[in-house]
Amino acid sequence: MRKWKSLLFLLMATVLVLAACGSKKSGANDADNEYGLVNKGKLTYAASGLYKPFNFEENGELTGFDMEIGAEIAERMGLEPNPVTNPFETILQGLVANKYDAIIGSMAYTKKRAEQAAFTKPYYYSGGMIWVAEDNNEIQSPEDLKGKKIGVIAQSTYEEPAKELSDNIQYYSSDVVALKDLTVENRLDAVITADIVGFEAQDNGFAIKEVGTPLWVEQPSIAVKKDNEELRDAIDKALQEMIDDGTYDEISQKWFGRNLLDIDLENAELLE
């Protein structure tokens, strides 16, 4: 009887140990998925892949400023970075449909977009700028765009301002293609896009120039599903850690030669 009790005790102890191990493993998985992730253990984040130097494909892989920011955030959260592409025109719909966990694709915060998603604090600032061909001296101000053909990315924050300036809008899926069309005779008169993107195009040999100063300052932020505040807060925490320890500055300096968070906001007109 005593021997039987000993065997029973050993069996129960074994079951408890296995249960504890199972609980620990389950707990780890739960931790991986505590933010309601689409893919357990991975932070799946989307970008258009057509917005150089922020997110673009090179040698078959996604790269750029957005991609590095996303990878660093994922790793600090103990998750595997899993970048994916989605057309910018439908990228917010994809988030709502739970195709990915977040949008880390240079999407600026607006009150309208905040009706469908929860946004982190800005992870950089940029200005909405008018760009024309280098030899175009006709367009000197926003008022000169009346009746002119303006190129913009569909569903971007530049679409509505462009419509207010002209009734002749040409839609694109890539800023690079739009800016390149500025140099082709009779194709476009102007493009409205981020100042950073235009300056990058200039550095890559595009014969274009800016008109005046930025029309407004945008606040590109990371978007998650509207009801997933836990994920948003965790991303915000990781982002702040990156800023505090200098990692953000390293990534920004690598891609732009400056810190994209360093901007005088006191007199800036923020796009909302």
Side-chain angles (χ1 to χ4, degrees):
M1 182 71 174
R2 183 179 297 173
K3 183 176 180 181
W4 181 85
K5 286 184 176 180
S6 297
L7 289 172
L8 180 61
F9 174 80
L10 287 172
L11 179 61
M12 290 177 66
T14 301
V15 171
L16 287 171
V17 168
L18 290 174
C21 291
S23 297
K24 185 176 181 182
K25 185 175 181 182
S26 175
N29 287 339
D30 288 344
D32 286 343
N33 210 38
E34 65 179 318
Y35 309 112
L37 301 176
V38 172
N39 297 298
K40 189 174 290 187
K42 298 180 180 181
L43 181 66
T44 303
Y45 51 97
S48 70
L50 299 172
Y51 196 54
K52 192 175 182 178
F54 291 94
N55 56 81
F56 61 101
E57 291 193 23
E58 188 172 74
N59 299 322
E61 292 187 2
L62 277 172
T63 187
F65 175 76
D66 290 336
M67 297 298 99
E68 289 200 25
I69 292 293
E72 183 67 27
I73 286 172
E75 289 168 8
R76 287 174 185 252
M77 293 172 63
L79 301 169
E80 180 185 340
N82 185 33
V84 297
T85 59
N86 192 94
F88 195 83
E89 308 93 274
T90 59
I91 201 166
L92 197 52
Q93 292 93 312
L95 178 68
V96 173
N98 210 37
K99 289 175 62 177
Y100 27 81
D101 304 306
I103 298 171
I104 309 182
S106 291
M107 172 173 277
Y109 163 86
T110 66
K111 290 180 179 178
K112 184 176 181 180
R113 287 172 175 167
E115 293 174 1
Q116 299 183 68
F119 285 83
T120 65
K121 62 187 175 186
Y123 68 101
Y124 74 90
Y125 296 100
S126 67
M129 183 82 80
I130 298 170
W131 294 89
V132 298
E134 198 172 56
D135 58 359
N136 185 332
N137 296 314
E138 183 181 353
I139 298 174
Q140 302 284 339
S141 69
E143 290 72 28
D144 296 331
L145 291 176
K146 186 175 182 180
K148 303 295 185 183
K149 184 182 287 187
I150 304 175
V152 294
I153 299 299
Q155 299 299 312
S156 69
T157 50
Y158 313 115
E159 182 178 354
E160 290 306 316
K163 288 179 179 178
E164 292 175 6
L165 294 169
S166 176
D167 57 2
N168 192 356
I169 306 299
Q170 177 69 45
Y171 292 104
Y172 289 83
S173 60
S174 165
D175 291 88
V176 174
V177 175
L179 291 169
K180 189 173 291 185
D181 276 0
L182 281 177
T183 62
V184 179
E185 188 175 1
N186 297 325
R187 191 163 288 181
L188 276 181
D189 296 302
V191 168
I192 301 180
T193 189
D195 51 0
I196 302 168
V197 173
F199 291 133
E200 178 73 12
Q202 281 183 324
D203 292 342
N204 282 278
F206 283 51
I208 61 175
K209 63 183 179 182
E210 71 272 26
V211 174
T213 57
L215 303 172
W216 64 81
V217 173
E218 294 187 318
Q219 305 172 77
S221 306
I222 297 169
V224 303
K225 289 191 72 175
K226 193 169 179 63
D227 59 353
N228 201 344
E229 294 182 358
E230 189 175 12
L231 176 58
R232 181 199 60 193
D233 293 346
I235 291 174
D236 259 333
K237 181 175 182 290
L239 180 59
Q240 188 60 52
E241 289 174 356
M242 291 169 56
I243 294 169
D244 292 342
D245 67 20
T247 304
Y248 176 91
D249 186 65
E250 290 177 10
I251 296 173
S252 187
Q253 293 288 348
K254 170 186 172 180
W255 286 100
F256 306 104
R258 63 186 179 92
N259 190 313
L260 295 188
L261 285 173
D262 287 344
I263 184 172
D264 181 10
L265 295 175
E266 189 173 344
N267 298 312
E269 181 181 344
L270 292 175
L271 178 69
E272 295 186 348

